[in-house]
Amino acid sequence: MPVAWASVRPGTLEPCEYCCTPAWLARRTQAVTPASAPKPCLVRDGDEWYPGHLSWEAAPREDGLWWAKVRYRRDGQDLTVVRNQKALRPRE
């Protein structure tokens, strides 16, 4: 039975032989596996956006949002926080 991956909570289903061929799994893994080095981003803290670096979690959480560990500097302090995709954006 076809199921959209976005509608499946992490850990509730196992890949099946029909849809998860080795080639398909390789493409999927490349698409969602975060790079080893943190990626540059902007992180919202209150009403301000600060430059930082993020490392995405391996899968979306039960709320359907992607979350990341983010490191950034605010008012001379180095901060490490966990934020969801709504508080993050790419840095150009």
Side-chain angles (χ1 to χ4, degrees):
M1 172 193 273
V3 176
W5 277 107
S7 68
V8 178
R9 289 190 356 231
T12 58
L13 291 179
E14 292 293 321
C16 71
E17 292 178 12
Y18 177 76
C19 66
C20 298
T21 65
W24 184 91
L25 286 172
R27 286 191 310 272
R28 175 77 179 156
T29 302
Q30 290 173 356
V32 298
T33 302
S36 58
K39 295 183 179 185
C41 70
L42 293 173
V43 58
R44 185 175 62 214
D45 189 342
D47 293 331
E48 299 289 324
W49 290 89
Y50 297 91
H53 289 84
L54 64 78
S55 296
W56 290 109
E57 293 181 353
R61 292 189 183 180
E62 287 187 14
D63 60 8
L65 298 175
W66 286 88
W67 291 75
K69 183 166 113 176
V70 185
R71 294 178 188 207
Y72 67 102
R73 190 169 184 82
R74 181 190 74 200
D75 301 329
Q77 290 185 316
D78 291 323
L79 302 170
T80 301
V81 298
V82 177
R83 295 279 197 264
N84 69 37
Q85 66 195 51
K86 294 180 179 180
L88 301 168
R89 61 174 128 160
R91 185 170 53 170
E92 299 170 3

